[in-house]
């Protein structure tokens, strides 16, 4: 009779152990999913490049990691914007000037000046000679940024009314790293 009681006790212990193991796995899974959601919400996102406005820096179909934790836009940053004034999809552009900075674009020479200094733009494909239909303010208003694509002749950006000046709260984050295609992996 003792051996039957021991076998029954062993089965009960195995059942408890299996149940406890399932709860531990479920607990680990819930914590993992929660951490992934928090990281993707507060630290970085993956964004696909659509179009040629940022060539040669970014190409169509590149995939980039965008960070947004405690981010404040700065001149030269490549940013993902939730939408322009009239666009319905996110766009990727470079910050040229931020609030309080004076901006001047000489479309005859292609030079862009911020606070009276011509900025060095080794990343642009062609000089800035294409003028848009938007009025470019002499000083960027509070809470706004002026953005342009690196491929200036093929970029709809703050020079055009359909994008215009970008409110800082519409900036999703800064593009930091190209992660695909694999032959283009690099830090931005």
């Amino acid at each position: 009779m003792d051996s039957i009681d021991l076998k029954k006790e062993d089965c009960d212990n195995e059942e408890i152990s299996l149940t406890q193991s399932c709860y531990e796995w479920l607990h680990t899974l819930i914590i993992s999913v929660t951490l992934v959601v928090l990281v993707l919400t507060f630290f970085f996102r993956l964004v696909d490049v659509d179009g040629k406005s940022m060539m040669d820096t970014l190409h169509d179909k590149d995939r980039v990691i965008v960070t947004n934790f405690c981010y404040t836009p700065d001149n030269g940053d490549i940013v993902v914007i939730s939408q322009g004034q009239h666009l319905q999809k996110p766009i990727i552009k470079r910050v040229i000037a931020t609030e309080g900075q004076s901006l001047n674009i000489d479309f005859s020479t292609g030079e862009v000046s911020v606070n009276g200094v011509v900025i060095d733009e080794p990343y642009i494909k062609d000089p800035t000679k294409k003028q848009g239909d938007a009025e470019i303010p002499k000083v960027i208003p509070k809470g706004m940024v002026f953005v342009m694509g690196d491929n200036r002749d093929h970029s709809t950006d703050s020079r055009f009314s359909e994008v215009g000046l970008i409110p800082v709260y519409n900036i999703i984050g800064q593009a930091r790293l190209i992660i695909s295609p694999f032959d283009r992996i690099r830090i931005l």
Side-chain angles (χ1 to χ4, degrees):
M1 187 87 164
D2 284 337
S3 69
I4 295 174
D5 286 341
L6 285 176
K7 286 183 182 180
K8 184 177 181 194
E9 189 176 301
D10 285 344
C11 286
D12 289 344
N13 286 341
E14 284 180 26
E15 196 174 296
I16 290 171
S17 179
L18 181 61
T19 304
Q20 185 176 2
S21 180
C22 286
Y23 280 125
E24 288 173 2
W25 274 99
L26 184 61
H27 182 258
T28 302
L29 181 64
I30 290 171
I31 288 174
S32 298
V33 168
T34 302
L35 286 174
V36 167
V37 168
L38 288 173
V39 166
L40 290 176
T41 301
F42 294 108
F43 295 104
F44 72 89
R45 297 177 188 198
L46 295 176
V47 175
D48 293 325
V49 176
D50 182 21
K52 58 185 178 178
S53 73
M54 286 299 292
M55 286 185 67
D56 285 330
T57 307
L58 296 172
H59 295 186
D60 188 38
K61 307 294 186 232
D62 280 354
R63 178 168 275 188
V64 296
I65 291 179
V66 176
T67 60
N68 58 358
F69 186 71
C70 297
Y71 174 68
T72 303
D74 198 9
N75 296 33
D77 291 351
I78 298 172
V79 295
V80 176
I81 302 156
S82 61
Q83 60 191 24
Q85 298 291 345
H86 304 289
L87 299 176
Q88 299 305 314
K89 65 180 184 172
I91 57 176
I92 298 179
K93 302 293 177 191
R94 189 177 297 272
V95 174
I96 302 301
T98 60
E99 70 175 62
Q101 293 182 320
S102 64
L103 175 66
N104 183 51
I105 302 174
D106 185 337
F107 292 103
S108 62
T109 64
E111 294 180 331
V112 178
S113 300
V114 175
N115 292 335
V117 177
V118 174
I119 58 175
D120 182 30
E121 298 184 292
Y123 45 77
I124 63 172
K125 194 165 176 73
D126 296 306
T128 311
K129 299 221 175 194
K130 185 176 181 181
Q131 192 167 355
D133 65 343
E135 184 178 329
I136 298 173
K138 294 293 182 201
V139 176
I140 306 303
K142 184 174 177 67
M144 306 293 265
V145 296
F146 187 91
V147 297
M148 288 196 284
D150 292 355
N151 189 0
R152 301 285 163 83
D153 286 341
H154 300 282
S155 176
T156 303
D157 48 42
S158 290
R159 296 173 290 167
F160 298 89
S161 58
E162 61 188 290
V163 174
L165 291 172
I166 302 296
V168 172
Y169 60 80
N170 278 354
I171 295 176
I172 294 171
Q174 180 181 9
R176 300 278 188 167
L177 175 72
I178 300 172
I179 62 165
S180 80
F182 294 115
D183 62 332
R184 293 201 23 85
I185 292 175
R186 66 184 175 99
I187 295 173
L188 296 170

